[in-house]
Amino acid sequence: MDLFANLTLVFIAGLITALATGIGALPFFLVREVNDRWNVILWGLASGIMVSASVFGLISEGLSSANGGSVQGVVIGLLVGVALVVVSDYVISGADVNPKKYEEADFKKLVLILGVLTVHSFPEGVAIGVSFADLGFQGGYHFDGFVIPLLAIFMTAAISIHNIPEGVAISIPLNAMGVGKWRMVWWSVFSSLPQPIGAVIAFYFVRSARGFLPMGFGFAAGAMIYLVLSEFIPEALEVGQSLPGDGHRELVSGLTLGVLLMLPLAFI
């Protein structure tokens, strides 16, 4: 299979995850706002999925992808992934991804919200690209002439599911501002468009320099785990303040379900 076909497949996988963000806007076609309880559960589900995919999939794959320096490479990648998210936050400091805080946001603040989510979506695209590193090798799932790694299938599904609550989060202030429903779908998808781009760049890099593969896996895992700890869980806890028990039960339920969904990754 030639490089262009492989890059096209990876781009399509990243595009699928971006389009999944638009699903988060669909509930607003039926209701004016999404229940806080469901928001907390969705954030918990996304967090459980992302951490499990990182630990069971990316880190595990990174540790087994090379001999000798694989552990060191994964650790360095983890640190660089965390640093990327920290620097991204610093560059666009002053913005807040809490949608309810900006229900009366002006256009400038809305752009900042979109900017935060867009910057955060790039590492997720990197995770997709890295997960396709073994595309075409034996041991994967055969589809239309491609041999797709099972890790790539899990990662694409995981990030697609994770993107749904992000779509909800970005649609809440848009809905409050009277933005049209199909425009909410578009803006939700727009915030994740860096994912197919990041996926293609990461895939090309790890295929061209496979010695950096452990670092690539670590990088993607570090960025996603840090996002969960610094953004997703605090967001869930803040939304859950209006619920009995501050939403801890809903958060734990979502986390548990997310981990269980990704548990098969530990056995592939």
Side-chain angles (χ1 to χ4, degrees):
M1 194 67 65
D2 61 34
L3 178 61
F4 178 77
N6 288 341
L7 290 174
T8 300
L9 178 64
V10 173
F11 181 85
I12 290 172
L15 186 60
I16 288 172
T17 66
L19 292 174
T21 314
I23 296 174
L26 297 184
F28 293 95
F29 283 77
L30 304 174
V31 297
R32 285 193 57 81
E33 61 182 42
V34 177
N35 185 286
D36 282 345
R37 176 168 278 104
W38 278 107
N39 258 324
V40 175
I41 292 173
L42 284 172
W43 280 114
L45 176 65
S47 298
I49 285 172
M50 297 298 278
V51 171
S52 299
S54 298
V55 175
F56 300 146
L58 293 171
I59 294 177
S60 176
E61 194 73 19
L63 292 174
S64 62
S65 62
N67 296 319
S70 61
V71 175
Q72 180 182 358
V74 171
V75 172
I76 293 173
L78 281 165
L79 295 175
V80 174
V82 170
L84 171 69
V85 179
V86 172
V87 171
S88 298
D89 282 342
Y90 177 77
V91 170
I92 50 180
S93 60
D96 193 331
V97 295
N98 179 5
K100 291 193 172 181
K101 186 175 180 180
Y102 290 110
E103 286 185 352
E104 301 299 328
D106 57 21
F107 182 74
K108 182 178 179 180
K109 288 180 179 177
L110 177 59
V111 169
L112 285 174
I113 297 170
L114 289 168
V116 173
L117 294 174
T118 300
V119 170
H120 284 180
S121 74
F122 188 81
E124 294 152 11
V126 170
I128 297 169
V130 171
S131 71
F132 273 90
D134 289 330
L135 179 65
F137 293 97
Q138 293 299 316
Y141 175 76
H142 292 260
F143 174 75
D144 196 26
F146 292 94
V147 181
I148 303 174
L150 292 176
L151 174 61
I153 297 172
F154 271 91
M155 192 60 59
T156 302
I159 294 178
S160 295
I161 295 171
H162 145 267
N163 278 352
I164 295 174
E166 284 207 350
V168 173
I170 204 168
S171 296
I172 289 173
L174 293 172
N175 183 62
M177 295 170 66
V179 175
K181 292 179 174 54
W182 284 109
R183 286 184 178 271
M184 288 195 296
V185 174
W186 156 245
W187 281 116
S188 297
V189 173
F190 175 81
S191 72
S192 293
L193 285 182
Q195 288 179 6
I197 299 172
V200 168
I201 293 173
F203 172 76
Y204 183 80
F205 180 78
V206 296
R207 285 296 284 257
S208 302
R210 290 188 67 82
F212 288 97
L213 192 53
M215 189 180 298
F217 280 118
F219 172 84
M224 292 204 298
I225 291 173
Y226 186 78
L227 276 175
V228 168
L229 296 178
S230 65
E231 297 291 348
F232 299 166
I233 291 180
E235 170 71 14
L237 291 174
E238 187 165 346
V239 173
Q241 288 178 357
S242 62
L243 301 174
D246 293 331
H248 290 159
R249 183 177 62 183
E250 289 79 5
L251 176 59
V252 172
S253 298
L255 282 166
T256 302
L257 180 58
V259 171
L260 291 176
L261 285 173
M262 291 295 106
L263 199 57
L265 265 180
F267 302 102
I268 65 172

